[in-house]
Amino acid sequence: MKPGLNYIAVSRDLLKLGLKHNTPIRIEGFDNIYYVKDKMHARWKNRIDIYMGVDVKAAKEWGRKKIYIEYGIPKRD
């Protein structure tokens, strides 16, 4: 994947809640709409993984957080 893409991976238990491939998601703390593009290993539950490209520093600064997400929302223009 290329840097700058607004993609996330979701744990497999979230697929049952409607977070399927290409579902638009708004993530607390981010202005952009993100899209489900991958699923995580079966050992993970109730998690998302935000793709941050090659920016390791940004990923480490963001770290692990409990956040609020909205999904299935229409894309903002």
Side-chain angles (χ1 to χ4, degrees), residues 10-48:
V10 297
S11 56
R12 292 165 192 256
D13 60 322
L14 297 179
L15 296 172
K16 295 177 226 164
L17 298 177
L19 286 136
K20 297 182 183 346
H21 191 261
N22 284 330
T23 301
I25 295 179
R26 186 172 295 134
I27 302 172
E28 175 185 15
F30 290 88
D31 293 331
N32 296 327
I33 301 294
Y34 285 75
Y35 296 91
V36 176
K37 292 294 183 178
D38 201 3
K39 55 187 175 255
M40 299 167 73
H41 190 278
R43 73 175 172 252
W44 299 114
K45 303 286 183 223
N46 199 30
R47 293 183 187 230
I48 66 168

